[in-house]
């Protein structure tokens, strides 16, 4: 029997019929979409290597603005503030989210579960500016003025749901029979948690803490409103630079911050994809 | 270890939830209540409030005092609120038109490639919004990335004056929240059974009808979720209107911030925030209603 | 329709999936004709390409090579929505966001039928499949059997020229499956629509079809009426796939007008019907259906060929029992026997008995 592979079929392939559910132009649309999404980022990076003083006048390639940015004391201070806030907020938010997720995913059905879930995800629902106003008013009403401490508390609050979601997703995707098997094999509750649940949960915790770190590092509006004079973080500093006038120094600082975020999110992506494939096999 | 934990399951539950309740309760719920209270007080011209009850903040939304101290209707703030809704709706619609085909395209890809596309969609979202919006100044601005080549080629003779317009804000908002539209739509499309599309086309539905009668109705929850996720932050947006609208074309979010940063009218800022919050709550209630109705209709309840 | 024009003609149809570099060959070279008004079944093991052929007819896939025609019309350039063919999907594919009635009306609406006609037709078809009382339910409030009826009604409503059914009964439990067989067959007779029915269940195929195409690995092995397929399989695959069978591998020793004599094993000789085309010395398989074998107490002789045997194993099936009988020379045959009136089986393991069959019941197949 002969099989013709390359012979065009009986001359009626002139009009190729797309499979059901496929549409012409989707691919082109998607390309356009990604250009739109990445154009600003590319432009930003490109102009950070501008040797000219004016952002938009291309004066040749140079890394002068990076050097300038690194030598800027205010930027260094802002970076430190950002790192301190993000680190502390991440540690607390992740810890709080982890035990919250354990209760909500492993505590069975109980009264107040939906309300608890709603409360934990509340910071996602409320517009940032409202959160900012509320927290600002609250601190002023109780007369609390801890500088960076105020900012850290606000960050812990809105980072909780971001840490919570991947941890809960991981817990719910986990096979509870593993924990039952451990209990069946004479492990105490603590041993079950220590040797079964916690190691399996680790990718979720890592993912959650990475997300809350990035979210905290990137936050602008809440920090702007809550933070006082001494608690300028990097995004707030960038904002003040933009208001003072556009120089490629902004691009340089921004590019560094950008790569930092992308690196963390990529790491998060790899961790979560890996843990997914592990669960599948 | 476990001996200091409460014995009862309920005790442990509440112990585990206590930190979340404490932090979000004290630093989010209570502040929102206080914010509500502040909106009914009188402003202190140096910032903060005076402990005197007053409806002025809400009156100020509609009226102002003229030179003779008479209340006269002032459409200024209403216009800003109206514009905020308009721009947010516009941006939501743009996100939908722009994002839906992309979410659909990703669903059609082989499983191993889909994850990578989703990664590409999420990356900009996790990078700093302020920075990305700033980049649009370089693109849209006078002598920017778009204008310069057009000027050089003689296609245009003068600046297009794209910055500081509603269009610039709409682009900025669309750009800011586009991933939030694509992700939920993708999540619901991914669950779509493609055999239903074949069934529809087998029953004489053309490609357009396959889309409108089967795909769109079935991924409506994703579309609605996406629209909410875009619309809500757009309403309170601060960065895009401030950087791309130049502070002249105000939206609710920038108006609120202005009350605290410069105008020093905290009660009015609180009242505006309450307004924003109610808009969000009402939207969410509608959403919950619709979702419940659908669940009943489709018999999955 | 003109009786002489086939409803569906497939000429040398080839279908590959995936790139041309390393394609999955789903259909190798299929040619068949499906007559108008007949109940035609595609039968074969899972993965043999039945669904693929159905999807090519419906238009969901494009042929790699060859031609498919519908009443002598080339359909390669038609979208699925342009083909007067409807499908009952394997897992029904009912629209979950529509009621039963809306599902059934879907095709008619797309065909822009007037509202009144749609209502009448929907009612008629739902009555036909006994689902009228559930017209306003949502599909996910229905049982599997009910969903199956809705799927059927939905595909029948636009009165297609050909109805394609992809294993429509496979998700139902046994009792329901058997009841639905009769209903489907009756429905086909009443509507006169050509049915192309896909199944891997030979019983289903034998009990419902006018004609059957037995497929294996992307090729048609045999096309014929159920009795042809069962009694005169053309090759060992068909014989093996349809029903239970004894195969005796051996060599042809002599041939006369009616009979072929074969040696099986070292010494046992068997006579079989001469179906022609064989010559002395050929290595062949003799095939013998279990129900053609009679088991009787040793004293009696039945049939033309009777041999002594010994019961080696019994599988009790309720209405009958399958006996494995050792007839010596290293040969074991599967035979059937009914329980006696009192419910006991006629023979026990180790019993000696007489195994009888006619030479007409043995057929010669190439190995
Ligand atoms: N979309 C596809 N892509 C690649 N291979 C496929 C596809 N669909 C079917 N196949 C392959 O084609 C062969 C025939 O499949 P199918 O027609 O579904 O068989 P059946 O319905 O008889 O079980 C199988 O080997 C199957 O793996
Ligand atoms: Mg199949």
């Amino acid at each position: 029997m002969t099989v013709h592979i390359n012979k065009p079929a009986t001359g009626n392939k002139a009009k190729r019929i797309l499979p059901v559910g496929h549409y012409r132009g989707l691919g082109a649309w998607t390309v356009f979409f990604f250009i739109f999404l990445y154009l600003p980022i590319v432009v930003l990076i490109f102009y950070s290597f501008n040797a000219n003083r004016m952002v938009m006048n291309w004066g040749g390639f140079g890394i002068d603005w990076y050097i300038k940015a690194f030598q800027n004391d205010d930027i260094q201070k802002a970076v430190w503030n950002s790192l301190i806030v993000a680190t502390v907020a991440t540690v607390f938010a992740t810890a709080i989210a982890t035990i919250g997720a354990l209760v909500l995913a492993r505590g069975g059905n109980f009264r107040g579960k939906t309300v608890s879930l709603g409360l934990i995800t509340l910071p996602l629902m409320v517009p940032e500016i409202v959160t900012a106003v509320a927290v600002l008013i609250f601190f002023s009403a109780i007369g609390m003025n801890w500088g960076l401490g105020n900012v850290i508390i606000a960050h812990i609050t809105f980072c909780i749901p971001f840490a919570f979601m991947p941890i809960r997703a991981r817990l719910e995707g986990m096979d509870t029979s593993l924990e039952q098997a451990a209990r069946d094999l004479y492990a105490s509750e603590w041993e079950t948690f220590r040797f079964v649940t916690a190691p399996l949960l680790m990718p979720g915790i890592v993912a959650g803490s990475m997300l809350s770190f990035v979210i905290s590092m990137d936050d602008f509006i809440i920090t702007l409103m809550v933070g006082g004079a001494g608690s300028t973080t990097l995004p707030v500093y960038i904002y003040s630079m933009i208001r003072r006038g556009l120089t490629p120094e902004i691009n340089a600082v921004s590019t560094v911050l950008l790569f930092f975020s992308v690196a963390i999110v990529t790491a998060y992506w790899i961790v979560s994809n890996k843990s997914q494939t592990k669960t599948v096999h | 270890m476990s001996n200091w934990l409460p014995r009862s399951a309920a005790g442990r539950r509440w112990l585990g939830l206590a930190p979340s309740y404490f932090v979000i309760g004290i630093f989010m719920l209570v502040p929102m209540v206080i914010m509500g209270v502040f909106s009914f007080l009188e402003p202190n011209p140096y910032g903060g409030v005076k402990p005197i009850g007053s409806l002025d903040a809400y009156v100020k939304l509609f009226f102002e005092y003229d030179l003779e101290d008479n209340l006269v209707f002032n459409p200024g703030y209403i216009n800003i609120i109206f514009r905020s809704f308009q721009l947010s709706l516009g941006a939501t619609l743009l996100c939908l038109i722009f994002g839906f085909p992309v979410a659909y395209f990703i669903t059609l890809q082989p499983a191993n490639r889909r994850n990578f596309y989703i990664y590409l969609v999420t990356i900009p979202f996790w990078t700093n919004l302020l920075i990305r919006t700033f980049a649009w100044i370089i693109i849209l601005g006078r002598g920017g990335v778009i204008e310069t080549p057009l000027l050089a080629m003689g296609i245009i003779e003068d600046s297009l004056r794209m910055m500081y317009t509603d269009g610039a804000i709409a682009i900025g908002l669309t750009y800011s929240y586009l991933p939030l539209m694509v992700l939920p739509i993708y999540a619901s499309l991914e669950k779509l059974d493609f055999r239903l599309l074949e069934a529809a086309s087998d029953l004489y539905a053309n490609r357009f009808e396959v889309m409108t009668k089967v795909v769109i109705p079935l991924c409506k929850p994703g579309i609605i979720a996406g629209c909410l996720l875009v619309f809500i932050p757009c309403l309170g947006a601060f960065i895009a209107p401030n950087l791309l609208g130049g502070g002249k074309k105000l939206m609710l979010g920038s108006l609120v911030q202005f009350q605290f940063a410069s105008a020093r009218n905290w009660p009015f800022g609180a009242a505006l925030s309450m307004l924003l919050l109610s808009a969000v709550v009402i939207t969410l209630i509608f959403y919950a209603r619709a979702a419940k109705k659908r669940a009943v209709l489709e018999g999955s309840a | 329709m003109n009786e002489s024009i086939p409803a569906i003609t497939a000429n040398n149809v080839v279908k590959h999936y995936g790139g041309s570099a390393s394609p999955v060959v789903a259909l190798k070279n299929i040619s068949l004709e499906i007559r108008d008004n007949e109940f035609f079944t595609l039968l074969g093991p899972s993965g043999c390409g039945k669904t693929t052929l159905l999807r090519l007819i419906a238009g969901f896939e494009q042929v790699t090579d060859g031609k498919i025609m519908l009443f002598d019309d080339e359909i390669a350039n038609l979208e699925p929505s342009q083909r007067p063919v409807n499908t009952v999907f394997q897992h029904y594919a009912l629209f979950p966001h529509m009621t039963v009635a809306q599902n059934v009306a879907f095709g008619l609406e797309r065909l822009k039928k007037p509202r009144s006609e749609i209502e009448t037709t929907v009612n008629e078809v739902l009555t036909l499949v006994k689902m009228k009382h559930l017209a306003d339910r949502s599909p996910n409030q229905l049982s599997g059997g009910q969903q199956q009826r809705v799927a059927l009604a939905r595909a029948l409503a636009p009165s297609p020229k050909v109805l394609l059914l992809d294993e429509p009964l496979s998700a139902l439990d046994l009792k329901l499956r058997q009841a639905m067989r009769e209903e489907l067959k009756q429905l086909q007779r009443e509507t006169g629509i050509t049915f192309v029915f896909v199944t891997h269940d030979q019983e289903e195929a034998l009990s419902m079809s006018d004609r059957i195409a037995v497929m294996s690995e992307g090729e048609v092995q045999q096309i014929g009426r159920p009795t042809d397929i069962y009694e005169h399989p053309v090759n060992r695959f068909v014989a093996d796939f349809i029903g239970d069978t004894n195969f005796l591998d051996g060599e042809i020793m002599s041939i006369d007008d009616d009979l072929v004599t074969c040696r099986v094993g070292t010494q046992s000789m068997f006579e079989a019907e001469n179906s022609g085309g064989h010559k002395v010395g050929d290595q062949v398989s003799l095939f013998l259906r279990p129900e053609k074998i009679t088991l009787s107490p040793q004293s009696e002789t039945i049939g033309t060929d009777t041999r002594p045997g010994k019961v080696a194993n019994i599988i009790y099936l309720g209405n009958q029992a399958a006996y494995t009988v050792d007839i010596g020379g290293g040969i074991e045959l599967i035979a059937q026997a009914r329980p006696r009136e009192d419910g006991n089986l006629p023979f026990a393991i180790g019993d000696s008995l007489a195994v009888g069959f006619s030479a007409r019941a043995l057929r010669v197949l190439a190995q």
Side-chain angles (χ1 to χ4, degrees):
Chain A
M1 195 206 68
T2 48
V3 178
H4 314 278
I5 300 177
N6 294 322
K7 186 185 131 203
T10 45
N12 44 36
K13 275 283 168 73
K15 177 185 144 204
R16 213 181 85 78
I17 293 185
L18 284 176
V20 173
H22 287 240
Y23 293 82
R24 271 174 229 289
L26 275 181
W29 192 270
T30 305
V31 169
F32 181 55
F33 171 92
F34 279 113
I35 290 176
F36 178 67
L37 212 53
Y38 281 89
L39 178 70
I41 295 175
V42 172
V43 165
L44 187 87
I45 296 171
F46 180 77
Y47 278 96
S48 72
F49 296 106
N50 190 354
N52 200 314
R53 247 203 68 74
M54 302 293 291
V55 172
M56 292 186 223
N57 291 352
W58 184 248
F61 178 87
I63 55 164
D64 321 6
W65 293 102
Y66 282 91
I67 296 167
K68 198 149 185 252
F70 275 109
Q71 289 167 344
N72 183 330
D73 287 344
D74 290 338
I75 291 182
Q76 283 183 9
K77 181 107 200 311
V79 168
W80 270 118
N81 280 346
S82 273
L83 287 176
I84 291 167
V85 171
T87 309
V88 179
T90 297
V91 169
F92 277 95
T94 309
I96 292 168
T98 304
I99 46 177
L102 275 169
V103 171
L104 288 177
R106 286 288 183 277
N109 274 324
F110 58 94
R111 268 190 67 185
K113 186 170 174 174
T114 318
V115 172
S116 306
L117 200 61
L119 189 85
I120 291 179
T121 49
L122 185 68
L124 289 180
M125 247 71 95
V126 179
E128 267 188 284
I129 185 85
V130 175
T131 310
V133 167
V135 176
L136 168 67
I137 288 179
F138 174 74
F139 284 142
S140 110
I142 63 168
M144 183 170 143
N145 195 355
W146 294 354
L148 213 52
N150 286 15
V151 176
I152 289 174
I153 288 174
H155 277 230
I156 293 174
T157 312
F158 69 72
C159 280
I160 288 176
F162 286 95
F164 173 80
M165 285 185 309
I167 298 173
R168 185 169 99 113
R170 177 89 191 153
L171 272 169
E172 301 209 316
M174 234 157 81
D175 193 352
T176 46
S177 60
L178 294 175
E179 286 158 4
Q180 284 156 11
R183 297 287 283 159
D184 185 55
L185 292 167
Y186 316 109
S188 71
E189 217 172 319
W190 165 245
E191 286 166 332
T192 304
F193 178 79
R194 169 74 187 75
F195 295 111
V196 180
T197 316
L200 286 171
L201 190 54
M202 219 45 210
I205 294 176
V206 172
S209 57
M210 281 173 172
L211 285 193
S212 64
F213 194 84
V214 171
I215 286 292
S216 168
M217 281 296 287
D218 282 352
D219 175 77
F220 161 65
I221 184 70
I222 294 175
T223 317
L224 177 74
M225 306 249 323
V226 174
S231 41
T232 302
T233 58
L234 191 54
V236 174
Y237 187 76
I238 293 173
Y239 181 68
S240 69
M241 285 170 89
I242 295 173
R243 301 210 351 158
R244 264 182 270 136
L246 308 183
T247 63
E249 193 177 1
I250 306 174
N251 294 54
V253 179
S254 300
T255 302
V256 174
L257 183 55
L258 199 93
F259 272 101
F260 187 72
S261 299
V262 171
I264 292 182
V265 175
T266 305
Y268 158 69
W269 199 264
I270 291 167
V271 167
S272 65
N273 266 4
K274 228 191 197 162
S275 64
Q276 254 173 31
T277 36
K278 253 191 212 156
T279 335
V280 169
H281 292 299
Chain B
M1 162 86 196
S2 47
N3 45 0
W4 55 265
L5 284 172
R7 276 295 149 63
S8 75
R12 287 186 192 198
R13 258 179 222 142
W14 294 115
L15 188 71
L17 287 174
S20 306
Y21 269 78
F22 178 79
V23 173
I24 296 177
I26 300 280
F27 298 108
M28 184 106 195
L29 269 187
V30 171
M32 287 201 292
V33 173
I34 296 179
M35 179 177 82
V37 173
F38 266 42
S39 73
F40 292 102
L41 297 179
E42 275 196 2
N44 181 338
Y46 303 104
V49 288
K50 291 183 197 161
I52 306 165
S54 159
L55 279 176
D56 276 2
Y58 291 94
V59 171
K60 195 176 156 81
L61 278 174
F62 302 94
F63 303 102
E64 62 182 354
Y65 292 96
D66 67 6
L67 293 174
E68 277 111 51
D69 243 14
N70 298 322
L71 274 183
V72 289
F73 179 66
N74 169 18
Y77 293 121
I78 300 297
N79 280 346
I80 290 176
I81 294 166
F82 185 68
R83 270 169 40 82
S84 302
F85 274 87
Q86 238 179 353
L87 276 171
S88 303
L89 277 178
T92 307
L93 205 65
L94 278 176
C95 282
L96 183 60
I97 294 168
F98 212 17
F100 182 87
V102 174
Y104 189 81
F105 173 84
I106 296 174
T107 326
L108 292 180
Q109 302 309 304
N112 55 346
R113 227 178 296 162
R114 276 184 238 157
N115 262 354
F116 182 66
Y117 277 109
I118 289 301
Y119 166 75
L120 284 185
V121 172
T122 43
I123 274 290
F125 180 70
W126 295 118
T127 56
N128 196 301
L129 181 57
L130 181 70
I131 297 173
R132 287 183 295 135
T133 312
F134 161 69
W136 277 102
I137 301 181
I138 308 177
I139 295 172
L140 296 175
R142 188 180 282 258
V145 173
I146 293 181
E147 274 187 19
T148 310
L150 292 179
L151 279 168
M153 286 185 290
I155 296 173
I156 53 168
E157 287 174 358
D158 194 9
S159 164
L160 289 170
R161 299 185 211 292
M162 287 179 289
M163 277 296 287
Y164 311 132
T165 60
D166 281 357
I169 299 179
I171 289 179
L173 290 176
T174 306
Y175 177 74
S176 306
Y177 302 113
L178 198 47
L180 290 181
M181 181 64 86
V182 175
L183 296 178
I185 294 181
Y186 169 74
S188 69
L189 278 174
E190 203 194 14
K191 282 182 256 153
L192 183 68
D193 181 358
F194 266 73
R195 285 172 299 197
L196 294 177
L197 278 63
E198 290 184 346
S201 80
D202 186 61
L203 292 161
Y204 313 109
N206 59 35
R207 276 167 203 278
F208 180 72
E209 288 168 324
V210 168
M211 188 46 73
T212 55
K213 305 279 177 194
V214 178
V215 177
I216 291 177
L218 282 174
C219 75
K220 224 193 224 158
I223 294 178
I224 294 176
C227 287
L228 279 181
L229 286 179
V230 172
F231 182 75
I232 290 176
C234 273
L235 260 190
F238 169 78
I239 294 176
N242 257 44
L243 293 191
L244 303 175
K248 280 187 224 121
K249 302 261 177 189
L250 282 181
M251 280 178 70
L252 254 176
S254 28
L255 187 60
V256 169
Q257 195 262 350
F258 183 72
Q259 302 312 315
F260 292 89
S262 320
R264 302 226 173 266
N265 189 340
W266 286 31
F268 187 50
L272 287 169
S273 301
M274 291 304 285
L275 189 82
L276 193 53
L277 196 59
S278 348
V280 170
V281 170
I282 290 169
T283 318
L284 287 176
I285 288 174
F286 266 110
Y287 171 64
R289 281 259 183 87
K292 202 169 169 191
K293 208 165 134 200
R294 183 197 321 282
V296 171
L297 272 184
E298 289 181 7
S300 52
Chain C
M1 274 296 151
N2 188 335
E3 194 53 51
S4 62
I5 300 179
I8 289 168
T9 314
N11 281 335
N12 304 99
V13 169
V14 177
K15 176 65 187 172
H16 297 175
Y17 287 109
S20 52
S22 57
V24 177
V25 182
L27 298 178
K28 281 179 190 153
N29 188 350
I30 301 273
S31 292
L32 48 80
E33 283 187 355
I34 300 173
R35 297 176 195 141
D36 198 11
N37 299 341
E38 82 172 331
F39 195 122
F40 190 88
T41 297
L42 298 171
L43 173 66
S46 158
C48 72
K50 307 178 298 285
T51 299
T52 301
L53 183 54
L54 223 53
R55 290 172 60 80
L56 288 171
I57 298 172
F60 303 137
E61 306 280 354
Q62 305 289 308
V63 293
T64 306
D65 197 2
K67 240 207 277 214
I68 295 178
M69 285 180 294
L70 194 67
F71 295 105
D72 264 1
D73 293 326
E74 182 71 53
I75 53 172
N77 286 335
L78 298 183
E79 301 254 352
S81 58
Q82 295 166 323
R83 303 184 183 200
V85 168
N86 287 152
T87 309
V88 176
F89 288 84
Q90 191 160 9
H91 299 286
Y92 316 138
L94 297 176
F95 304 123
H97 58 303
M98 300 180 193
T99 63
V100 166
Q102 286 168 337
N103 263 282
V104 178
F106 190 89
L108 298 164
E109 282 166 358
R110 302 286 82 71
L111 289 171
K112 309 271 184 302
K113 300 277 191 221
R115 196 67 243 170
S116 58
E117 188 190 327
I118 294 179
E119 267 172 39
T120 333
T121 315
V122 168
N123 272 335
E124 274 173 20
V125 182
L126 282 178
T127 311
L128 195 65
V129 299
K130 307 187 183 87
M131 284 295 295
K132 183 135 188 310
H133 59 297
L134 298 176
D136 294 324
R137 283 269 183 96
S138 149
N140 40 31
Q141 293 171 319
L142 300 179
S143 71
Q146 290 169 332
Q147 289 185 18
Q148 207 267 318
R149 282 160 192 271
V150 178
L152 199 59
R154 187 177 70 172
L156 281 172
S159 311
K161 297 246 169 64
V162 177
L163 189 70
L164 309 174
L165 303 101
D166 193 356
E167 312 216 7
L169 307 182
S170 63
L172 307 180
D173 54 47
L174 183 66
K175 270 276 185 289
L176 194 55
R177 200 155 64 213
Q178 286 169 343
M180 282 305 292
R181 276 184 207 164
E182 283 169 38
E183 274 191 48
L184 270 182
K185 180 69 199 164
Q186 201 186 339
L187 210 58
Q188 192 268 329
R189 267 197 298 260
E190 279 171 16
T191 57
I193 295 173
T194 309
F195 274 36
V196 182
F197 184 91
V198 161
T199 184
H200 63 259
D201 181 337
Q202 40 107 5
E203 232 178 86
E204 232 167 72
L206 292 174
S207 62
M208 299 161 79
S209 322
D210 293 323
R211 290 195 307 146
I212 298 172
V214 182
M215 293 176 63
S216 154
E217 296 184 357
E219 285 178 305
V220 172
Q221 301 294 326
Q222 185 173 6
I223 301 180
R225 291 171 303 159
T227 46
D228 297 338
I229 303 270
Y230 188 80
E231 296 292 345
H232 301 280
V234 294
N235 59 31
R236 195 172 159 144
F237 173 82
V238 177
D240 196 19
F241 190 69
I242 315 270
D244 298 320
T245 309
N246 293 298
F247 286 111
L248 304 169
D249 294 341
E251 185 187 342
I252 297 183
M253 305 306 289
S254 68
I255 301 181
D256 65 28
D257 284 353
D258 292 348
L259 296 174
V260 174
T261 308
C262 287
R263 191 187 63 204
V264 176
T266 46
Q267 73 256 36
S268 310
M269 303 300 276
F270 287 85
E271 286 185 322
E273 191 182 55
N274 183 3
S275 50
H278 306 289
K279 58 181 195 297
V280 174
D282 279 359
Q283 296 293 322
V284 294
S285 286
L286 298 179
F287 118 95
L288 176 61
R289 297 281 186 200
E291 71 273 13
K292 302 274 167 73
I293 300 174
T294 321
L295 300 179
S296 45
Q298 216 164 17
S299 49
E300 302 168 28
T301 53
I302 299 160
T304 53
D305 195 346
T306 306
R307 298 163 194 235
K310 201 170 190 179
V311 178
N313 195 17
I314 304 176
I315 297 170
Y316 178 62
L317 298 166
N319 62 345
Q320 61 181 23
Y323 280 81
T324 309
V325 184
D326 186 346
I327 56 168
I331 302 172
E332 287 190 339
L333 291 177
I334 310 281
Q336 291 171 353
R338 298 195 161 279
R340 289 196 304 247
E341 305 273 290
D342 61 7
N344 288 325
L345 293 177
F347 310 104
I349 291 180
D351 282 3
S352 291
L353 39 60
V355 181
F357 44 85
S358 146
R360 294 257 162 245
L362 269 91
R363 304 238 146 69
V364 183
L365 298 173
Q367 253 181 19

